[in-house]
Amino acid sequence: MFAKTNLFSFEEFVEMEKILALRILKTITGIVGILGNGLICVVICKVSAMQTRTNAFIFHQAVVDFLGSTMILVQSEIPLPDPLPDNGLGWVICNVWLSNFTLFFVFVVSTFNLLAVTMERYFAIVHPFRYQAAFVRYPRVKVGAVIVTCWLVGAAIKPYLMTIFEIREGSCRSLSGSKAVGILTAFLQYILPVGVMFFAYIRISVELKRGAARVGPPPPGAAAPATEAASPAEPVPPDMGMRESLLKARRNIFKTLLTVFITFLVCWTPNQVIFLSYNLGLLDLNFKEWYYLLSVAMVAANCCVNPFIYVAKYRHFRNGLRQMLCGNTCRSDTCTTLA
């Protein structure tokens, strides 16, 4: 009925930190994540055209991943007292820091924010009338409420980690934990959000294909709709241009978020499969094994990959970055090279 959780003692923590490759990886992940997510926050704050409902969730995602990257860097570089003091400071180090509560709390908030932005796109594309009705009044307050909910969900799932550690003879030791709680945790923080997002992306994909079929190809001789590279002076048929531009914008953000979701699956699945198998009694896990350490590193790496995805895939973000870098003095040909 009971088993140890997938955590480790203070001595094992220190021993893992001595693994040079792991420490270098965590350091690089932390630095890249801080710089990349910081850039996303700056672009969205500086460029007014970037301040949309969808980008509000992307901004929040960047803030959360920035915090996660900072924790990863601090965890790798800041030494801890040994032995641990048997006082309030020792309790914080053991039950809050070494238990990985803070780190996985941020990871779970990031997961549910990805779920939030996915559902925002789902309702905007699949149920547009409900979406517009929902945000007619107080849109910023409602977006803020969803973001706060992400933090509340994380706060509801992860505090269990703080209850299964204690300081014993100057060391932080894990106590027995319930297999049932471990299985429930895996379901809430991974299986449930992944299942909902998987369903949402399938429905969005179907709806976008229907939208493309309704728009259809432009009639012969018609001017092309305005795009990034098109001149503002070019004539655009109003109805067709707006529809096609909207469809392209929706498809672009869909592909961007789908890439973020696939990356999330790649980074999180190994760790959660190991964690769930352990709690189901299918795996006798040694937390020093290379595959477990690699799975934790992959979860941590998820904090730093999203900025690269936005630069490569998200046209709206590239436009905002280009505008921030060029300002009013940027010539069109110079901006084009940055896209």
Side-chain angles (χ1 to χ4, degrees):
M1 179 178 179
F2 292 93
K4 282 184 64 179
T5 60
N6 63 332
L7 302 169
F8 32 82
S9 68
F10 177 75
E11 289 78 12
E12 291 171 327
F13 181 92
V14 173
E15 184 176 341
M16 286 197 306
E17 286 301 292
K18 292 179 180 178
I19 301 176
L20 182 59
L22 180 63
R23 186 173 181 180
I24 291 175
L25 178 61
K26 291 173 68 176
T27 301
I28 293 174
T29 297
I31 294 174
V32 172
I34 289 172
L35 295 177
N37 290 292
L39 176 63
I40 294 175
C41 294
V42 171
V43 171
I44 294 178
C45 285
K46 290 286 187 179
V47 181
S48 58
M50 291 289 297
Q51 295 167 12
T52 64
R53 282 192 285 266
T54 302
N55 288 339
F57 291 109
I58 291 178
F59 176 84
H60 180 237
Q61 189 86 31
V63 170
V64 174
D65 288 344
F66 181 92
L67 293 175
S69 299
T70 302
M71 291 179 188
I72 293 168
L73 183 62
V74 170
Q75 191 181 71
S76 177
E77 299 300 327
I78 301 299
L80 297 174
D82 184 18
L84 293 178
D86 191 10
N87 53 26
L89 176 61
W91 184 91
V92 171
I93 294 175
C94 177
N95 295 72
V96 178
W97 189 248
L98 293 180
S99 68
N100 272 336
F101 162 73
T102 52
L103 192 60
F104 275 90
F105 169 59
V106 170
F107 289 163
V108 170
V109 173
S110 179
T111 298
F112 278 88
N113 186 78
L114 179 58
L115 174 62
V117 69
T118 298
M119 297 312 295
E120 188 269 343
R121 286 293 83 200
Y122 168 79
F123 281 103
I125 295 173
V126 180
H127 303 290
F129 296 109
R130 294 182 185 177
Y131 176 80
Q132 291 299 332
F135 284 98
V136 166
R137 301 181 63 184
Y138 313 113
R140 293 185 179 181
V141 173
K142 292 176 180 178
V143 170
V146 173
I147 290 174
V148 170
T149 300
C150 294
W151 287 90
L152 293 177
V153 171
I157 294 176
K158 302 315 292 183
Y160 169 71
L161 292 179
M162 295 190 295
T163 67
I164 56 177
F165 271 74
E166 69 174 8
I167 298 176
R168 188 183 306 161
E169 299 178 354
S171 297
C172 186
R173 300 286 183 179
S174 61
L175 307 173
S176 296
S178 170
K179 284 186 177 182
V181 174
I183 294 170
L184 179 61
T185 299
F187 175 78
L188 292 177
Q189 73 183 15
Y190 179 76
I191 298 174
L192 178 61
V194 165
V196 174
M197 285 188 282
F198 188 74
F199 166 79
Y201 282 117
I202 291 176
R203 293 285 287 112
I204 293 173
S205 177
V206 171
E207 189 61 32
L208 287 177
K209 288 182 179 179
R210 290 176 179 172
R214 285 194 294 266
V215 171
T227 62
E228 292 177 319
S231 168
E234 292 176 354
V236 179
D239 186 55
M240 184 187 70
M242 290 180 61
R243 281 188 176 185
E244 191 167 349
S245 295
L246 177 60
L247 182 61
K248 284 185 176 181
R250 284 180 168 180
R251 290 174 66 179
N252 180 247
I253 185 61
F254 166 73
K255 291 178 180 179
T256 302
L257 293 177
L258 181 61
T259 304
V260 171
F261 173 61
I262 293 173
T263 304
F264 167 82
L265 287 179
V266 171
C267 292
W268 270 81
T269 298
N271 179 265
Q272 291 301 295
V273 168
I274 292 172
F275 177 63
L276 186 59
S277 299
Y278 177 71
N279 282 281
L280 290 173
L282 304 176
L283 179 66
D284 185 15
L285 178 61
N286 182 343
F287 300 106
K288 301 178 187 178
E289 292 285 352
W290 67 269
Y291 58 86
Y292 175 73
L293 298 180
L294 178 61
S295 73
V296 175
M298 289 175 66
V299 172
N302 190 230
C303 288
C304 71
V305 295
N306 288 345
F308 296 99
I309 296 174
Y310 296 139
V311 171
K313 291 285 188 181
Y314 192 14
R315 186 180 299 111
H316 196 195
F317 177 78
R318 291 203 306 271
N319 287 343
L321 178 61
R322 183 173 59 198
Q323 182 177 338
M324 187 185 74
L325 293 177
C326 296
N328 296 328
T329 61
C330 179
R331 298 181 303 171
S332 59
D333 57 342
T334 304
C335 290
T336 301
T337 61
L338 295 173

